[in-house]
Amino acid sequence: MSVKADSESSTGPKPTILVVDDEAGPRDALKVILRPFYDIHLAESATAALDVLSNHSIDLITLDQKLPDRQGFDLLQDIKRTHADIEVIIITGYGSLKSAMEGIRQGAAGYLLKPFNVTELITLINQTLQKKQRLDFLRTFIQSTPELWGSEQDSARAWATLQSSYRALGKPDGAEQPSTQQTDDLLPLLSDMLEAKDRRLLNHCSRVSFYATLLANRLNLSAAEQKSLAMGAFLHDLGKISLTPYRYCEDQILPSGEAAGCREHPEIGARMILALGFPADVGQIVNYHHEWWDGSGYPHGLQGEGIPLLAQVVGIAQIFDHLTADVPGRTPLSVDDAVQQMARRAHRQFDPALISLFTQVVHDCKASLPAMAIATAPSRHL
């Protein structure tokens, strides 16, 4: 069976791959398989891998889960912390669904079990490198184009340029090229933008959308409202792509569960939403998800029923995730402790009836809640 990598026909330099495996047999086998298509470096340990990274430019790493000096997941965390733009595929003979989900949560782009199918390996590597190309392009575009969140006219022009360039790169598998401008067609781009800024920001937004949807299932919402809620929850922190520098794990979380970052990000995000033609409900969610029931929130000081219901739902969902998410540098609360803390802030931060309903929803789903939230995170847009 013959395989062909996309890079084989490219006129540019070959992508560079670092193979990290403590066993000489699998390490050499990967070298033989991949060398016709890519420039290859080898490492037999975490220490050797870090040495290669300090001396060479690497595009992608294939990483064994068990290494002689460290666990592969520990090395993965270090790689994503210091080289966020390097993609990682875990290849291991000790796999399980739990370890696969953990690898994706820690930032791996894919997961393969030994013995692997060569065609499947090459396909996954090519898809991951295509994804890296998109993310690298978006990182540069975001950094160089503040017009994305500028005036309405400047923003519209910047987004039109971005969408055209993004389509030219090719969308993730399963995302068809749009024949007309529809907001649903923007989701692959916006998802990639969140990931380009910080993969953990993307995962946070995905979990918030999931938690908001859980609560929405107990409310009498129309189909259009449910769609706007899911979309607005996923995009609630879109404004944070304007922050430079930015790392999600460095967001300071206040005792209330509130992120103490840029207080302008709701309005910045709402301006971007306006330029993209989303329904008004989506823009309201993005703009008002930090408003508090007693009027002490931001950026507009809305209070009580003056805060749109969908924004209130997302406000609850994002606080719950900030309190419970396992993020480096933070100590997550248990589900029970989180909802108890949130319930104590009824009348001040949250609508008492809404937080009571959310508490009931969480208790009903508690046994499977973390796994369900991780599973819904769209971290493999390949």
Side-chain angles (χ1 to χ4, degrees), residues 232 235-237 263-271 273 280-291 298-302 307-308 311:
L235 300 176
H236 76 283
D237 272 348
R263 294 172 68 91
E264 292 77 33
H265 80 267
E267 291 182 291
I268 293 172
R271 286 203 298 273
I273 291 297
D281 285 351
V282 177
Q284 289 178 352
I285 290 170
V286 174
N287 207 355
Y288 304 139
H289 69 274
H290 280 294
E291 303 291 348
Y298 66 90
H300 303 286
L302 303 183
I307 308 170

Side-chain angles (χ1 to χ4, degrees), residues 60-251:
L60 184 145
I61 297 172
T62 66
L63 176 63
D64 190 20
Q65 189 172 320
K66 292 185 179 294
L67 298 171
D69 50 349
R70 295 184 69 187
Q71 289 294 315
F73 286 155
D74 293 336
L75 177 58
L76 172 61
Q77 290 183 47
D78 281 351
I79 292 169
K80 300 310 291 188
R81 181 165 52 250
T82 57
H83 301 85
D85 59 333
I86 297 178
E87 297 297 334
V88 179
I89 295 173
I90 296 174
I91 302 178
T92 181
Y94 303 93
S96 66
L97 176 60
K98 181 178 180 180
S99 63
M101 292 175 64
E102 178 64 15
I104 298 301
R105 191 180 70 83
Q106 294 290 350
Y111 198 98
L112 282 180
L113 292 178
K114 300 174 183 176
F116 52 80
N117 177 281
V118 173
T119 301
E120 183 181 3
L121 170 65
I122 296 294
T123 298
L124 179 56
I125 287 176
N126 283 333
Q127 290 175 336
T128 303
L129 289 171
Q130 290 164 8
K131 170 186 171 181
K132 174 176 168 55
Q133 182 186 29
R134 297 195 308 269
L135 297 184
D136 286 347
F137 162 74
L138 290 171
R139 291 182 183 108
T140 300
F141 197 96
I142 291 169
Q143 186 174 1
S144 63
T145 317
E147 292 83 2
L148 286 169
W149 47 88
S151 68
E152 184 175 350
Q153 188 175 22
D154 288 344
S155 181
R157 282 198 297 264
W159 279 103
T161 299
L162 174 57
Q163 291 174 66
S164 177
S165 300
Y166 181 80
R167 285 195 295 270
L169 287 174
K171 286 190 173 183
D173 289 351
E176 297 180 358
Q177 298 288 349
S179 57
T180 58
Q181 178 60 45
Q182 300 290 335
T183 54
D184 286 355
D185 296 324
L186 294 168
L187 278 180
L189 167 59
L190 295 172
S191 178
D192 275 351
M193 290 185 78
L194 290 169
E195 183 167 3
K197 195 64 179 180
D198 191 321
R199 177 186 287 267
R200 294 185 186 276
L201 177 63
L202 169 65
N203 291 342
H204 165 69
C205 291
S206 302
R207 292 191 303 267
V208 169
S209 184
F210 172 72
Y211 296 137
T213 300
L214 280 184
L215 180 52
N217 290 337
R218 304 290 183 94
L219 301 172
N220 187 25
L221 300 180
S222 67
E225 288 172 326
Q226 292 180 41
K227 182 175 181 179
S228 290
L229 177 63
M231 189 84 69
F234 181 64
L235 300 176
H236 76 283
D237 272 348
L238 182 64
K240 288 187 177 180
I241 70 169
S242 68
L243 304 182
T244 304
Y246 175 79
R247 284 166 57 92
Y248 176 75
C249 63
E250 293 175 358
D251 272 352

